[in-house]
Amino acid sequence: MRHSSIFPILFSIYFVTLFFAIHARHHFHTKHKHYSHSHKSSSEISLSPTPLPSPYYSAPQEAPSFAPSGSYEEAPSPSPSSDENNYQNASGLFDVRKFGAIGDGISDDTESFKMAWDTACQSELALNVIFVPNGFSFIVQSSIFTGPCKGGLVLKVDGTIMTPDGPESWPKNNSKHQWLVFYRVNGMSLEGSGSIDGRGQKWWDLPCKPHKGPNGTTLPGPCDSPVAIRFFMSSNLTVQGLRIKNSPQFHFRFDGCQSVHVESIFITAPALSPNTDGIHIENTNDVKIYNSIISNGDDCVSIGSGCFDVDIKNITCGPGHGISIGSLGNHNSKACVSNITVRDSVIKLSDNGVRIKTWQGGSGSVSGVTFNNIHMDTVKNPIIIDQFYCLSKDCSNKTSAVFVSDIVYTSIKGTYDIRHPPMHFACSDSVPCTNLTLSDIELYPSQGDILNDAFCWNAYGNSETLTIPPVFCLLDGVPQSIPANDIDHC
């Protein structure tokens, strides 16, 4: 009997001890929970959770915001040890402040950013996040961030990254052609809710730049100005959610890249800022530019030679110079562009709408281009092909030209500036444009009731539906002969 009374007491003690042990273990794992991240390819990127710019309403004052899909756990501070794994951590997060960055808008944080990049790039984790925190402004000098990296890499900018303040603050031994360069990187995402500030005003004010003052005078002197962000010979790239403003020259430039996805970004610069293209691509293919707002002093998107398989959708563009293919064929060069689509977008208060521009004397071709469902709001040249593009008064006609063919314009509607024709097809004397197709075009003057006539020169094509204004100047059929040696079909 005595032993039988002890067993319940022992059982109770065992049960209570087991309960507290399990509870403590659960508490420990909850407190030290690590978040896992899976790197998404450009085709799987999650869309911004906020309403995206509609093709039929004015651009908002604020940029479309980006909400990250998961939380990032802060990495521990590095120890003073010389071990190469000083900054490595289980979560794969590399806060630039842990590498010495100050973020006060005054200090030079370049070396801290380079150290964070090098450490993350050498990490063998599946995903590594370089974190630029909110509430800080980091000054970074001209830098090249080089790959390939061992794992997937995200540069997550929630704070602000700024250039040195103008040419005088630019170190003399640093390139003035480019600012932040990402070279030979495969599988990188540049994203966040922060901003990248090119502080371009002092560059735009260089005496060599075209001024809008009396006679538009320029003066001799150094004129190099940096591209803000350049991706060079890289692939599987994503840019999402950021604000980029006031670049000294182009805001983004993609050279020799493959598989590029730009999503929900906001680019802004003054309307008179020179050469501040929003996004320029060159020798780059498999490009998607979606759901973004671009307002600047040059082309919203410019497509250079060697580009194919480009899809541009839901862009609000302007003020600026519109969406352009070119310029192509400068200095008698060969240019090849094909399979380009621009759709479901707005172009407003712009010098041009959708444009193809080539120099005399070039070779190659532009083909397979579709402009579809685009709303024009007070645009000087809503639809334009200009094969006589020239930046000086001494350009002469040449017998060779880039061959422009198979261009489709459909559902392009809105208003144009009455000082210019709503449609302008100026094709080479010796190499005409062929197979231009128009349908569902309605372009009205932004002031008055008089419709301007379309302009055509050596342009072959047809209108599949009645257009406003009517286009009677396109030539029927195909040209009888085109000098074969002047056309390289790429």
Side-chain angles (χ1 to χ4, degrees):
M1 291 292 293
R2 185 176 180 182
H3 288 288
S4 63
S5 63
I6 290 175
F7 284 118
I9 295 173
L10 293 175
F11 181 79
S12 299
I13 292 172
Y14 174 79
F15 179 82
V16 171
T17 303
L18 182 62
F19 173 81
F20 281 110
I22 293 172
H23 180 72
R25 181 179 298 177
H26 174 75
H27 176 72
F28 176 84
H29 282 285
T30 301
K31 182 177 180 180
H32 293 78
K33 179 180 179 182
H34 292 289
Y35 294 89
S36 64
H37 308 278
S38 60
H39 184 61
K40 295 184 178 181
S41 69
S42 62
S43 62
E44 299 171 326
I45 188 169
S46 57
L47 299 180
S48 169
T50 57
L52 298 171
S54 163
Y56 295 106
Y57 78 104
S58 298
Q61 294 301 310
E62 296 297 324
S65 62
F66 168 68
S69 58
S71 301
Y72 296 110
E73 189 171 339
E74 190 170 295
S77 300
S79 68
S81 166
S82 60
D83 188 343
E84 65 179 2
N85 293 322
N86 274 349
Y87 304 102
Q88 187 62 24
N89 56 86
S91 66
L93 180 84
F94 304 88
D95 188 327
V96 294
R97 293 173 301 170
K98 304 302 181 184
F99 295 81
I102 305 300
D104 59 2
I106 300 172
S107 305
D108 182 357
D109 293 317
T110 307
E111 291 306 314
S112 299
F113 272 69
K114 287 183 176 179
M115 193 182 305
W117 173 273
D118 291 341
T119 306
C121 188
Q122 291 305 309
S123 168
E124 296 185 357
L125 294 176
L127 181 65
N128 301 280
V129 180
I130 301 170
F131 183 54
V132 180
N134 184 30
F136 297 87
S137 296
F138 301 92
I139 293 179
V140 179
Q141 297 177 12
S142 176
S143 301
I144 299 177
F145 300 97
T146 303
C149 297
K150 294 183 178 180
L153 196 146
V154 173
L155 176 53
K156 187 173 192 302
V157 181
D158 285 347
T160 299
I161 302 176
M162 302 188 300
T163 65
D165 190 17
E168 296 302 320
S169 300
W170 211 263
K172 295 186 182 300
N173 59 339
N174 282 5
S175 170
K176 291 186 177 180
H177 295 285
Q178 52 201 18
W179 177 35
L180 304 179
V181 181
F182 301 94
Y183 174 59
R184 289 191 179 277
V185 180
N186 178 28
M188 175 187 169
S189 178
L190 173 59
E191 62 184 53
S193 58
S195 65
I196 297 175
D197 187 353
R199 301 209 279 187
Q201 186 64 56
K202 292 181 180 180
W203 298 91
W204 308 329
D205 288 341
L206 288 172
C208 62
K209 295 296 175 69
H211 290 271
K212 301 298 182 180
N215 302 320
T217 56
T218 61
L219 298 174
C223 210
D224 290 338
S225 299
V227 172
I229 302 170
R230 184 186 183 200
F231 289 91
F232 182 45
M233 296 181 68
S234 297
S235 59
N236 298 310
L237 305 171
T238 298
V239 179
Q240 177 169 308
L242 291 168
R243 298 177 67 103
I244 305 95
K245 64 179 182 179
N246 298 333
S247 175
Q249 206 192 79
F250 298 175
H251 287 78
F252 281 98
R253 181 176 179 123
F254 296 89
D255 285 292
C257 295
Q258 184 173 5
S259 297
V260 176
H261 189 154
V262 179
E263 178 84 41
S264 300
I265 65 170
F266 187 101
I267 297 175
T268 181
L272 298 182
S273 55
N275 301 116
T276 53
D277 294 49
I279 301 170
H280 178 76
I281 59 175
E282 192 100 10
N283 295 309
T284 294
N285 65 83
D286 186 17
V287 179
K288 299 175 177 63
I289 303 173
Y290 295 159
N291 308 317
S292 296
I293 299 170
I294 304 174
S295 173
N296 58 352
D298 212 302
D299 295 330
C300 293
V301 181
S302 54
I303 300 169
S305 179
C307 293
F308 58 91
D309 296 343
V310 178
D311 188 25
I312 300 170
K313 179 182 178 182
N314 201 18
I315 303 299
T316 299
C317 168
H321 293 179
I323 297 174
S324 294
I325 296 173
S327 57
L328 305 174
N330 195 13
H331 304 301
N332 303 324
S333 62
K334 175 183 175 181
C336 301
V337 174
S338 63
N339 195 22
I340 311 294
T341 300
V342 181
R343 56 194 171 113
D344 306 333
S345 295
V346 170
I347 302 176
K348 59 182 184 178
L349 303 173
S350 178
D351 283 358
N352 303 289
V354 290
R355 174 169 62 159
I356 299 172
K357 53 180 178 176
T358 72
W359 294 78
Q360 288 283 299
S363 63
S365 67
V366 177
S367 63
V369 179
T370 298
F371 300 107
N372 177 49
N373 190 28
I374 299 174
H375 179 75
M376 303 286 180
D377 181 359
T378 319
V379 174
K380 289 183 180 178
N381 299 288
I383 297 173
I384 178 171
I385 295 176
D386 180 8
Q387 292 212 269
F388 300 89
Y389 184 73
C390 180
L391 296 178
S392 64
K393 296 180 179 179
D394 57 355
C395 295
S396 58
N397 285 354
K398 298 182 180 180
T399 56
S400 64
V402 177
F403 180 43
V404 177
S405 182
D406 301 318
I407 316 297
V408 176
Y409 304 90
T410 180
S411 189
I412 298 179
K413 303 177 181 181
T415 60
Y416 62 91
D417 186 315
I418 59 175
R419 294 172 293 179
H420 300 264
M423 288 172 272
H424 183 101
F425 303 109
C427 301
S428 166
D429 290 343
S430 55
V431 186
C433 304
T434 65
N435 201 21
L436 308 182
T437 303
L438 309 177
S439 66
D440 200 19
I441 309 295
E442 297 180 13
L443 294 169
Y444 297 92
S446 57
Q447 297 177 342
D449 299 321
I450 300 176
L451 292 174
N452 290 7
D453 292 331
F455 174 83
C456 304
W457 182 263
N458 212 19
Y460 287 76
N462 69 289
S463 299
E464 292 187 339
T465 66
L466 179 65
T467 65
I468 302 174
V471 180
F472 300 119
C473 57
L474 287 174
L475 301 173
D476 292 332
V478 294
Q480 292 183 350
S481 63
I482 299 176
N485 60 334
D486 285 340
I487 299 174
D488 187 338
H489 288 284
C490 298

